[in-house]
């Protein structure tokens, strides 16, 4: 057993309210008309014109495809994937800028963008040259309003530092965040809290779901499914039969706004903790343990729900002078036992008050060193 000690932690892990582990807040930040915006950045004079970034195939000035366009060009119906020939036709007699792609330059701008975005995330995942997912659950205390304010600050910084705009979607998972980001462009900010997910997704065309391409969409239409609501209502077993089990389950869940990826991330949760203010300042162990017992019980229930065992038990005591003191102890074996948690927390508080003068104002309990409880099935296969 090891006994760790640290004093005056300014921001203890305890500040994270536990229910937030279930209500995630995820943002998808997607830069507006990225390649074309980069071109405007180095040559602001073209801003007011249609800007068409082209992948020239080399045979003639008109062979090749449009990579992307600014929104001025989009108002003429010119967009990504279109042939340069058609784009030129649509912009006939218009003063437009047709430019070749310069990926190295866009990569360089992308790097600067990502460096700014990364600062705003608890967890960060770049998902393309011009987009990234940010898990902001912890730093927004699980509050969507705070996430929205964070998004506004981030937009301001991107504009201030790099003179670039983006569109942001905020949701309870990646799937919803991505669709929300597509909702309003350019310079959009769309927030979908968990209670609004169903209403938001239901009327959308199934094509808005990641993984539903033109072919799948046609297939779905032939089954009478055109909206996300219709997909959500469709017999999941039939979806499995038609699209295969993996995609069937994915489509069903996606239509309900459920995104499994966070189950994986949950295993990365490092600790469960609770903190409470005592009814009055005290250094009396039995009085403190009345509160600590409740905290232990809440934490243990959560560990059981999450099917996690813990190996380290920690306590925190915030004294009258607001100094924060922590103690922790690592057990021989992982456990989820309430009794073990309680007894170890008690021992740590006892030891702490023997060593320290002063009365506690707030006390907290934390478990960490988490491991996923093995299911019987896993145990069986691990013998094979
Ligand atoms: N891109 C491309 N060919 C495509 C789609 C995209 O070369 N068919 C490139 C150019 C885009 C960049 O990838 O600038 C990012 O793609 P997005 O789909 O995010 O599109 P944009 O950023 O251009 O526009 P939007 O404002 O709609 O996000
Ligand atoms: Ca984009
Ligand atoms: Ca993108």
């Amino acid at each position: 057993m090891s006994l760790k000690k640290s004093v005056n932690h300014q921001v203890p892990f305890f500040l994270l309210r536990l229910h937030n582990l279930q209500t995630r807040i995820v943002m998808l930040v997607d830069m507006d008309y990225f390649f074309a915006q980069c071109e405007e950045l180095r040559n602001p004079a073209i801003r007011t014109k249609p800007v068409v970034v082209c992948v020239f195939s080399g045979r003639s000035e008109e062979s090749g495809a449009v990579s992307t366009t600014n929104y001025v060009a989009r108002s003429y119906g010119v967009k990504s994937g279109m042939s340069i020939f058609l784009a030129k036709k649509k912009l006939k007699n218009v003063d437009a800028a047709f430019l070749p792609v310069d990926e190295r330059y866009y990569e360089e701008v992308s790097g600067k963008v990502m460096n700014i975005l990364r600062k705003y995330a608890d967890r960060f995942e770049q998902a393309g040259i011009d987009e990234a997912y940010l898990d902001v659950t912890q730093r927004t205390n699980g509050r969507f309003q705070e996430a929205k304010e964070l998004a506004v600050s981030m937009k301001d910084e991107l504009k201030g530092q790099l003179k670039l705009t983006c569109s942001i979607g905020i949701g309870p998972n990646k799937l919803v965040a991505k669709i929300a980001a597509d909702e309003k462009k350019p310079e959009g900010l769309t927030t979908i809290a968990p209670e609004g997910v169903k209403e938001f997704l239901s009327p959308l065309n199934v094509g808005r779901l990641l993984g539903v391409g033109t072919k799948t969409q046609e297939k779905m239409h032939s089954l009478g499914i055109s909206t996300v609501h219709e997909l959500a209502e469709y017999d999941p077993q039939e979806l499995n039969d038609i699209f295969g089990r993996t995609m069937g389950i994915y489509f069903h869940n996606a239509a309900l706004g459920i995104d499994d990826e966070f189950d994986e991330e949950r295993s990365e949760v490092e600790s469960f903790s609770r903190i409470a203010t005592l009814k009055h300042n005290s250094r009396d162990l039995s009085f403190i343990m009345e509160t600590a017992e409740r905290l232990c019980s809440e934490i243990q229930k959560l560990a059981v729900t999450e099917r996690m065992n813990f190996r380290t038990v920690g306590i925190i005591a915030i004294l009258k002078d607001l100094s924060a003191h922590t103690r922790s102890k690592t057990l021989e074996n992982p456990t989820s036992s309430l009794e073990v948690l309680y007894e170890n927390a008690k021992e740590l508080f006892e030891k702490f008050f023997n060593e320290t003068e002063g009365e506690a104002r707030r006390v907290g309990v934390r478990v960490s060193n988490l491991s996923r409880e093995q299911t019987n099935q896993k145990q069986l296969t691990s013998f094979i």
Side-chain angles (χ1 to χ4, degrees), residues 30-36 66-68 71 74 80-81 129-131 185:
D30 182 81
M31 302 309 291
D32 296 325
Y33 63 103
F34 188 55
F35 292 3
V66 172
S67 165
T68 196
Y71 281 76
R74 290 184 203 193
S80 277
I129 191 168
D130 79 330
E131 61 185 84
K185 281 181 171 190

Side-chain angles (χ1 to χ4, degrees), residues 4 217 230 309:
K4 284 192 204 145
Q217 207 173 334
E230 284 159 354
N309 289 325

